[in-house]
Amino acid sequence: MKREYWFVIITYIAMQLSGFVGVPILMMLGALTGASHHDLQMKSGAYWIVISFLAALVLVLFFMRHDMRESRNSRNQASIPVSIAWAVAGIFLALFSQSIASYLEQLFGISPGSKNTQDILTLIKQVPWVIFVSSVIGPILEEIIFRKIIFGSLHKRYNFFLSALISSFIFGLAHMEFVHILLYTAMGFSFAFLYNKTKRIWVSMFAHVAMNTLVVILQLFSKDIEKMAQNAKHVQGIIGGFL
């Protein structure tokens, strides 16, 4: 594995662990505001996610600058029109694999719903900038690490299926939500397929960003939609009573 790949992986791990230091520092700085401990902890955690992910993205792009330049000159990449088509189709592929995995999980008695998603939504309500991290920066970093580096390195030695399966399983483990390991592995497998099909990492990035954005938006507005539906039924009942 290339030396810069190890720098990227170390940066990603350091980012994940940095909250143990960064959050307490932000809490100490924010203690002067007089906010409650719970609110201070939530906002400090949210702000640190934004800070750490942005810093990690800058470092990762710096480490990968030569590799990305070499990738652009590769001759085995799919054409731009074909890559765009796969990027768009990849959104539906990821959603389809997610729905199949969710169905299988329910057959095994695993209740739907992700704790990670709910935690992210809580942080977004505290600091709206977190939505940019969860929908854009996070997927970009994950595609570079789990598809470009891990899957790409494995695929030099093993066939596609085994390389995609191993890298997707690691992708699932990294989310620390083991009850939904099948769900994350299925999505990771879809993104690995897109990258392998086009040899362009931005294709899987686009699909990943679009899917995360769609999920967050639907989750954020699901309660509002539910309230609107209930209000519509109530209004319909009132109108029906007057007719």
Side-chain angles (χ1 to χ4, degrees), residues 8-28:
V8 170
I9 292 173
I10 291 171
T11 298
Y12 184 77
I13 294 174
M15 177 200 71
Q16 297 287 359
L17 299 176
S18 65
F20 291 107
V21 176
V23 174
I25 291 175
L26 290 184
M27 288 183 68
M28 285 191 296

Side-chain angles (χ1 to χ4, degrees), residues 203-236:
V203 172
S204 60
M205 282 181 182
F206 179 87
H208 198 162
V209 167
M211 195 197 74
N212 274 29
T213 302
L214 181 63
V215 169
V216 169
I217 290 175
L218 288 176
Q219 289 287 334
L220 282 174
F221 292 102
S222 61
K223 292 183 179 180
D224 294 335
I225 293 173
E226 184 178 348
K227 288 179 181 179
M228 289 171 62
Q230 290 175 351
N231 291 335
K233 290 180 181 178
H234 180 62
V235 170
Q236 184 180 8

Side-chain angles (χ1 to χ4, degrees), residues 138-149:
I140 290 175
L141 288 174
E142 289 176 349
E143 289 308 305
I144 291 174
I145 292 164
F146 296 103
R147 254 61 69 183
K148 177 71 176 178
I149 294 178

